[in-house]
Amino acid sequence: MRLVFMGTPEISVPALEALIEGGHQVEAVVTQPDRPKGRGKALGEPPVKTAAKALGIPVLQPERVKKNEEFLKTLEEIRPDAIVVIAFGQILPREILELPRYGCINIHASLLPKYRGAAPIQWAVIDGEKETGLTTMYMEEGLDTGDMLLKAVVPIEAGETGGSLHDKLGKASGPLILETLKRIQEGTIEAVPQEGESSYAPMLTKEMGHIDWTKDAASIERLVRGLSPWPSAYTILHGKNLKIWKVRLLGPSGTEAAPGSIVEAGKRGLCVQTGDGVLAVEELQLSGKKRMDAASFLRGFPVDPGDRLE
């Protein structure tokens, strides 16, 4: 097919590469503009732009796609059979949705209608789902509400993080979009309306990572995994920001310590009382320092039982 590809972050790259390897003619890649990154705030290009340049595909970076006559004219001149979208980051207007012969096809990182929205991967981990996956769908003006085409189920393993699940779903996107396009072209695919209970996966914020120690240990453990590597879970120790990268469930403490209290600081790590159960913090990072295991941290930053995390 003659295609336009729209995507921005790292998860979009495997699908783009698969389209090229599958023999499709990607006429242009549309991605977000370069943005300042890092402490130096130097302009950094989106991962999809880097991949497109390596593949020799022209790149378009409109600040916005709505009410952009110049961009619309460019798409009309390309005359794509389909537009493939994965994590692009802008809502497409009706005139773009209706432009391609086979429509605009989105690859969404959940088993729709569950987890519509911006952060389906992380919320699936945070909520304790046993499986998630990818759904290809025809796009419409609603938020992830279009008719579904194909799905790929991906199990969520014990210890899965938002980052590791992101990578697994990225790898699964290539085969799924190739099969979807093949069956669309053959006329053998069935578009199925979304029915049943839906849920929403709102955008992640840094504030979400502030651990509420009154919650149960299992919920906090999932939060830590789901928000790794970004925005990451954190707490406050002795007035300093402390990122929490890895924790382990220990069960009941046998004490009546208040949530957030450190009940042990030693061989098992930094053990913290929660609203229900105890967590051993195994990997952490003090503000301005490197990430380290709990034993290394405790050698340089003494912590006593009874100290509180806030």
Side-chain angles (χ1 to χ4, degrees):
M1 281 193 195
R2 185 180 179 90
L3 302 174
V4 167
F5 182 88
M6 294 184 173
T8 298
E10 193 66 41
I11 195 172
S12 309
V13 173
L16 172 60
E17 293 174 337
L19 291 172
I20 298 300
E21 292 169 5
H24 290 281
Q25 189 176 348
V26 180
E27 293 294 329
V29 162
V30 184
T31 190
Q32 297 278 41
D34 296 356
R35 305 290 189 196
K37 291 184 178 180
R39 294 182 179 180
K41 298 300 181 183
L43 282 181
E45 61 187 30
V48 164
K49 178 180 180 180
T50 304
K53 286 162 59 179
L55 293 166
I57 305 170
V59 177
L60 305 173
Q61 294 181 275
E63 189 68 43
R64 63 176 187 177
V65 298
K66 284 186 175 181
K67 299 181 180 179
N68 187 333
E69 292 300 324
E70 182 180 353
F71 176 66
L72 179 61
K73 183 179 178 182
T74 300
L75 292 183
E76 289 172 341
E77 290 173 351
I78 292 172
R79 292 180 290 110
D81 294 318
I83 296 176
V84 174
V85 183
I86 174 170
F88 172 51
Q90 297 189 46
I91 301 296
L92 304 188
R94 178 179 293 276
E95 56 266 28
I96 293 178
L97 295 175
E98 295 178 347
L99 190 153
R101 173 186 175 189
Y102 293 114
C104 294
I105 300 147
N106 185 44
I107 309 168
H108 185 72
S110 79
L111 300 175
L112 292 170
K114 295 185 74 172
Y115 297 108
R116 295 170 177 163
I121 299 172
Q122 295 84 357
W123 281 107
V125 176
I126 293 168
D127 290 347
E129 298 286 351
K130 300 302 181 186
E131 64 180 24
T132 185
L134 298 162
T135 305
T136 50
M137 55 181 283
Y138 285 127
M139 296 179 71
E140 58 178 32
E141 290 185 283
L143 180 63
D144 302 324
T145 56
D147 289 353
M148 301 178 296
L149 299 170
L150 297 179
K151 292 186 178 184
V153 177
V154 174
I156 299 177
E157 307 291 345
E160 195 88 71
T161 66
S164 64
L165 186 57
H166 167 282
D167 293 347
K168 286 163 66 173
L169 290 168
K171 289 178 182 178
S173 65
L176 185 66
I177 189 59
L178 289 178
E179 181 64 18
T180 300
L181 293 177
K182 175 177 175 287
R183 291 175 59 177
I184 286 174
Q185 208 164 17
E186 294 171 344
T188 59
I189 203 159
E190 180 184 0
V192 180
Q194 294 188 39
E195 296 178 346
E197 186 176 350
S198 65
S199 58
Y200 179 61
M203 187 177 295
L204 303 178
T205 64
K206 290 184 178 181
E207 291 72 23
M208 273 182 56
H210 195 171
I211 296 172
D212 178 359
W213 294 104
T214 65
K215 292 188 176 181
D216 64 277
S219 296
I220 296 172
E221 189 267 347
R222 295 196 304 268
L223 180 75
V224 170
R225 288 192 287 111
L227 298 185
S228 174
W230 193 90
S232 75
Y234 70 96
T235 189
I236 307 297
L237 175 62
H238 298 167
K240 295 187 177 183
N241 190 296
L242 186 68
K243 286 187 177 182
I244 306 298
W245 289 110
K246 186 178 180 182
V247 296
R248 177 166 51 91
L249 296 169
L250 292 181
S253 65
T255 73
E256 295 184 0
S261 298
I262 295 169
V263 296
E264 182 182 336
K267 293 181 179 179
R268 295 200 298 172
L270 198 65
C271 302
V272 187
Q273 178 67 50
T274 72
D276 183 7
V278 176
L279 283 176
V281 178
E282 298 185 325
E283 291 184 20
L284 63 172
Q285 183 177 6
L286 195 64
S287 181
K289 303 294 183 181
K290 65 179 182 179
R291 178 173 172 172
M292 64 185 72
D293 60 69
S296 299
F297 173 80
L298 291 171
R299 284 194 292 269
F301 197 92
V303 177
D304 299 315
D307 288 351
R308 290 284 297 276
L309 300 177
E310 301 174 358

